[in-house]
Amino acid sequence: MTTNQTDNSARPQIIVARAQKSAGISIILPILFGSLGLFYSSISGGLIMTFLFAPGLLAILAMGHYIVTILFALAYYPICIIWGIRAVNKYNDKLIKGEDTTENFEYSTYDIVMFLLLSAYAFCAIYAITDIFFK
């Protein structure tokens, strides 16, 4: 006669150990590699800074607004560094609390459309301001 073990104390416990991410590395990588270094801290941050910031910067440059392009380019590294530090701190806090640390990419079509519309609005507002003050 075989018996099924339903007692949880008889089962071996599995412990998963994960290392915390380093805030120092999250500063150094964006300094060395820009938005590619941001992928260590935040995948979504790396994607946004790689595929939205650079084309936006090139579009402003193509319009001939050199001063605005320089100002935005100077903001690039601080944005990457701050984003990386915040993402690492959030990851480490979740890890300590025992929460799920994976980045979720569950964005609805509404979220994506609203993000694109907000980005287009911000771009037009920046263009209008630069057109008024730097013309």
Side-chain angles (χ1 to χ4, degrees):
M1 177 176 178
T2 60
T3 60
N4 292 335
Q5 290 184 348
T6 58
D7 187 14
N8 287 337
S9 63
R11 292 184 182 167
Q13 291 186 355
I14 298 172
I15 299 173
V16 177
R18 295 175 74 180
Q20 291 185 345
K21 291 185 179 182
S22 169
I25 292 175
S26 74
I27 293 171
I28 292 171
L29 288 176
I31 289 172
L32 295 176
F33 303 110
S35 60
L36 296 178
L38 189 56
F39 278 99
Y40 168 77
S41 307
S42 169
I43 294 171
S44 59
L47 289 171
I48 289 170
M49 290 304 286
T50 300
F51 295 111
L52 291 181
F53 191 85
L57 196 65
L58 291 174
I60 294 170
L61 180 64
M63 288 184 239
H65 298 289
Y66 303 112
I67 295 172
V68 176
T69 304
I70 292 169
L71 293 175
F72 276 120
L74 290 174
Y76 175 75
Y77 282 101
I79 290 170
C80 286
I81 292 168
I82 292 168
W83 197 327
I85 291 170
R86 289 183 52 112
V88 164
N89 288 338
K90 186 176 177 181
Y91 173 87
N92 290 340
D93 288 343
K94 283 184 175 183
L95 192 64
I96 290 170
K97 291 177 184 175
E99 298 175 3
D100 184 21
T101 58
T102 56
E103 270 190 81
N104 296 327
F105 295 104
E106 298 174 4
Y107 298 109
S108 67
T109 305
Y110 175 79
D111 294 334
I112 294 169
V113 168
M114 291 308 292
F115 176 77
L116 292 173
L117 288 174
L118 182 62
S119 299
Y121 174 77
F123 179 76
C124 290
I126 292 167
Y127 179 74
I129 289 169
T130 58
D131 195 38
I132 292 170
F133 290 111
F134 296 109
K135 192 169 186 182

